[in-house]
Amino acid sequence: MRSDTAYGPSVMAYYALFTSLSVQPYYSTTVGYGFKTRYVGPGKSLISEAWSYGKQLPFTKGLSTRIPCYFQPCVPTREDTGMVSMDEADFAAAASKGFEFELAGKAGKIVGSIPAHAFRRVLDLKSGMKLPSATPNCAALAKPGKPAKEEEKAEDDE
């Protein structure tokens, strides 16, 4: 099935020496609302779950790769990607006041924030999308469990 997706801008949610977290909010007609994560930092893979104000958000782990070291001395660095899913109400609230969250795992946690304008951009793009219209009469045309020919015969007999 075809999916239409509206992406907001990629923004830096957290930045420190040797560590960064960039995110990109999105809306997809097949997946819904959420944001992509890209963590770059030293050590082991960091992310396995996402939280916001005590509420756990669905997190899907993506690729985890080691970044090669070209200059010595070097800090072993990894890049981890993932996706955090959000419901429509949380996404709309984030579009008005921003969004603070925490990504956690065995290696620790990282706290990030996404500005409201990134979510608003997605909602603006979504409003311009040509979404398929639902056909409410389809369910009324055929009754479940009976083939259409039997229904026609029943109506002819009456």
Side-chain angles (χ1 to χ4, degrees):
M1 220 160 103
R2 193 177 139 218
S3 170
D4 290 327
T5 305
Y7 288 103
S10 181
V11 296
M12 193 64 63
Y14 176 84
Y15 184 79
L17 188 61
F18 301 117
T19 306
S20 67
L21 174 66
S22 60
V23 297
Q24 185 176 27
Y26 67 85
Y27 167 76
S28 168
T29 54
T30 56
V31 179
Y33 295 93
F35 57 92
K36 298 189 313 182
T37 63
R38 181 178 172 265
Y39 169 80
V40 177
K44 297 179 181 179
S45 181
L46 173 72
I47 305 166
S48 62
E49 52 188 43
W51 295 82
S52 181
Y53 294 105
K55 176 182 175 182
Q56 187 170 12
L57 302 170
F59 178 78
T60 305
K61 191 171 180 73
L63 296 175
S64 182
T65 56
R66 278 190 336 153
I67 297 175
C69 183
Y70 296 110
F71 301 102
Q72 297 296 331
C74 186
V75 175
T77 306
R78 298 197 68 76
E79 177 183 65
D80 297 323
T81 61
M83 295 174 70
V84 177
S85 299
M86 299 173 68
D87 61 27
E88 186 173 9
D90 288 342
F91 201 90
S96 66
K97 60 182 179 182
F99 191 74
E100 293 183 8
F101 63 97
E102 178 180 283
L103 299 178
K106 290 180 182 178
K109 64 181 179 178
I110 187 167
V111 177
S113 64
I114 307 170
H117 74 84
F119 293 98
R120 277 195 306 269
R121 178 70 179 140
V122 173
L123 294 177
D124 290 345
L125 290 171
K126 180 190 173 213
S127 67
M129 292 170 76
K130 293 181 179 178
L131 301 176
S133 59
T135 53
N137 295 335
C138 288
L141 292 178
K143 295 178 185 174
K146 271 190 170 178
K149 290 183 180 179
E150 286 181 22
E151 288 178 15
E152 289 174 8
K153 287 179 184 177
E155 288 175 6
D156 290 339
D157 293 340
E158 292 176 8

